Amino acid sequence: METVTEKEINKNWLAEHNRPALIAGPCSVETEAQLIETATRLAKTGKVDIIRGGIWKPRTRPGTFEGVGAKGLPWMAKVKQMTGLPVTVEVAKASHVELALEFGIDILWIGARTTVNPFAVQEVADALRGVDIPVLVKNPINPDLALWMGGIERLSTVGIKRLGAIHRGFSNYGEKIYRNRPQWQIAIDLKRRMPEIPLINDPSHICGRRDLLFKVSQKAMDLNFDGLMIESHITPDSAWSDAKQQITPEVYADLISKLVIRDDIQFDSLPGNDQLAKLRKEIDFIDDELMNAVASRMEIARQIGTFKKENNMVILQESRWNEILSKWIKRGEAQGLGEFFVERFITAIHDESISQQERVMTANDKK
Ligand code: PEP
Ligand code: MN
């Protein structure tokens, strides 16, 4: 299959806007007056490039506000005319696409609950065949990079050239801090696998609460994201959806003005980068040692595999694994390493250990 990378993608379409490109607007379009006041106050701050508004709202549970529907489209068109800014809405099926195009919506986005469903994404893509409009694809609600990339690929395949990705975090049962855990590594991996796709961060849906918005936005900037999408409402507390995470246009402007935007300079091109080169050498040296240590650990794991085979023992000894895990977490904590990282790190090593033991044991079986 032809990949997005092989297709001719207009990498810089988003850069026509500022860096970062700033998208703001209400979670849901509620009334004409609410939308217009939000948009004009946002435009007045001079810190927004694109106005967003949810017209069709895919809600997790029924009985909540599901959007004003097509009746909001002329209001979005009015916002575009009044502010001179491009407008974007979420689409989830072919009929949404047709209506959005009819009303001159400039940019479309696909929501997290739609990206999970290849049939739905394909339906949207088919409705866009031959249409030249930018489309942003939110990550699916589950942490699945391939599914996210698959959504982008479906749009690329029908000829959409101005594509973008929105990182809005991933649901996680029992998560206490975030509404949707950021799992930054997935977004970083997307950037590495699809470098031509601009990457936008959506701190609103990651945080689910106002007090964390700045920290997450700044982190996205430090990771060199290309843009931000932030929900803004004139009276956030009485918003019909996502009330806790929305901020007024003025609070939004304040947040944006406090962000530190660093230059995207490649270190290697800096003069006098000897010190950096030295530090990088040290890192390479440690990486070598890490790899050697892991390889030695696997060698021992294979010997254990042989021993278990000879003594007819199961591979996974749960008490031993629990002991290793808690020891690592405790030691990691003492070294200032995050529990989530330590757990993923040792689990990955342990999983490989098990596969290596399995290989030893099945090889013996065949003899
Ligand atoms: C939204 O942008 O309001 C929305 C529904 O977001 P998500 O698809 O990320 O849940
Ligand atoms: Mn929302």
Side-chain angles (χ1 to χ4, degrees), residues 27 52 57 90 109 111-113 138 168 202 205 231:
C27 173
R52 66 155 273 158
K57 302 299 300 175
E90 172 175 352
W109 93 78
R113 288 164 193 76
K138 286 204 177 193
R168 51 76 81 195
D202 170 350
H205 292 91
E231 289 185 341

Side-chain angles (χ1 to χ4, degrees), residues 26-28 52 54 56-59 90 109-114 138-139 141 166 168-169 179-180 202 205 229 231 241-242 245:
C27 173
S28 294
R52 66 155 273 158
W56 297 285
K57 302 299 300 175
R59 304 305 299 280
E90 172 175 352
W109 93 78
I110 293 183
R113 288 164 193 76
T114 304
K138 286 204 177 193
N139 67 253
I141 46 181
I166 303 176
R168 51 76 81 195
R179 177 176 172 195
N180 291 292
D202 170 350
H205 292 91
M229 180 190 254
E231 289 185 341
S241 62
D242 291 354
Q245 68 199 34

